[in-house]
Amino acid sequence: MIIQSLVRRYEDTADVKPGWQKRGVSHALELAEDGTLLGIRQLGDPSDKKLSKLTLALPLAEGRVGTKAYFLCDKGEYLLGLADKKWEASCKLHIELLGNINTPAAKAITAYFSAGAPAYTINYNKDKPSVIDSYTFSLTNENLTISDKDMLSAKFVFMVNGKRVDYTDGDDEIIEIWESSQKQEREQSICLVTGKLDSIKRLHYPVALNGVTMGAQPLISMNDQTSFRSYGSVPKDPAAQIGAKAAFAYATALNDLLSDPNHHQSLGADTLVYWSEGGGEKESAVFASTLIAEPESDEDVNLSAAMKHIAQGKLPEIDGVKWDNPFYIMCLSPNAARISVRFFYVKEFGTIMKNLAKHYDNLDTYSSRDEKYKRLPYWML
C-alpha cells in the first residue's frame, strides 16, 4: 500500500518525466562551441556560505557503482578530470551519446571531452602539506581557484552559448537521445504495483533521507546475507516484483516529499513524511502548522481557535482544505545503509485532525502558576 500511495502521489504531482529527476546543482561549466572551457559559473546565491544549489530537471542518476558516470551532471572528479578513471568513464558516456548529434550544445560537449581534461594545479594546505586546500584551473582568460571543500560538494552541469544543458534549456535532440538510451528491451512481467506488464526493476532508485550515513539508499533492496534472503532470492534478482515505471514513480515522489519542508518534519532521528490525496497542499500546510507552530505566536493563536472547533466536532471552513480527503503519514528511520518504515498511517484528514485536537484536550492541565505555554506544540513534546 505504501508504494501504491507514493505512485499515486507521483501521478498527482509529477513535473518530471521518467528518465529525468530534479537535482540540486551548484556550478555550470561554460563552454565555447569548440569545446573550450571559458569559465565556471556558480548557479546558486554567491553569498551563501553553504554553496546554495539551483534545482534543475536532469538525466536520472540511478546510483553509483564503481566509476559509473552520470550524463550532463556530475561531480568535478568526472567532469573536470580530477580522477583519471572517472574522467574516462564520463568521456566514454558523453561521446557515445552525443557523438552523432550536430547541435551546438552536443558538439561543444563532445569537443570538450575529446580535447582532454582541463589543466589544473593542486594547492596544498600550508599547515598540513598532505591535505588538499584547493584546485586552480587554467582557463582561456583567467585562472580560477575552487576550494576542495566546495569541489567535493559541488555538482556541475554544462552551459553553451549562455544556456544550461538540462531538460528545460537543453535542445530536443539531446533530450531525445537520452530518453532513447533509457528504453532498454528487458524481459517483462506483471508489476505488483500497477498490475501491468513492465520490465522489472532490479536495483531501485536511491532515496535521500537524513541520517543514512552511507548516503542515499533504496527504500527497497535485497540483503546479501543468506539468513535474510527471501525464498532463496539473491542480490542479482529483483528486490521486488516492481516494474521500472512504478519504481521510478515512487522514488521520485518520496524524494520530492523529503526535499520539500512543507511535507516532512524531523522527530528526533526519524523523519515524518505526509501528503494529501490528489496533490492537495492545504491539508499538508494545516497539518504542518500543528507540528511546528511557535507557542503564543499569531499562528499558534489561530491554530488554537481552529483546534477548539475541531475538538468539539466542528470542522471549520478553511479555504482549500478538504476534510474528507485521504491523508498519508509515514515515519522513516535511518540506518547506516538502510531506510526503515517505522509506521504508515492513512485516514481522512478531518479524522486525523480530530484525533490531534483530542490529544491536545487530554494534555490540558491546571496550575496555580502562570504557565509560560498554554499549549505545548508537538515539536516541543
Side-chain angles (χ1 to χ4, degrees), residues 187-191 194 196-200 242-246:
E187 184 178 350
Q188 295 197 329
S189 185
I190 296 294
C191 171
T194 65
K196 299 177 181 179
L197 277 174
D198 196 0
S199 54
I200 302 304
I242 295 177
K245 293 179 181 177

Side-chain angles (χ1 to χ4, degrees), residues 12 22 32 38 52 87 90 95 145 156 158 218 228 239 257 261 283 302-303 312 314 323 358 380:
D12 290 336
K22 290 185 289 186
L38 301 175
S52 65
W87 166 260
S90 196
I95 292 174
T145 300
F156 297 84
F158 294 102
F228 291 99
L257 292 166
E283 293 87 2
N302 294 334
L303 179 63
Q312 296 168 3
K314 304 172 185 176
W323 296 105
K358 184 178 180 180
M380 188 173 292

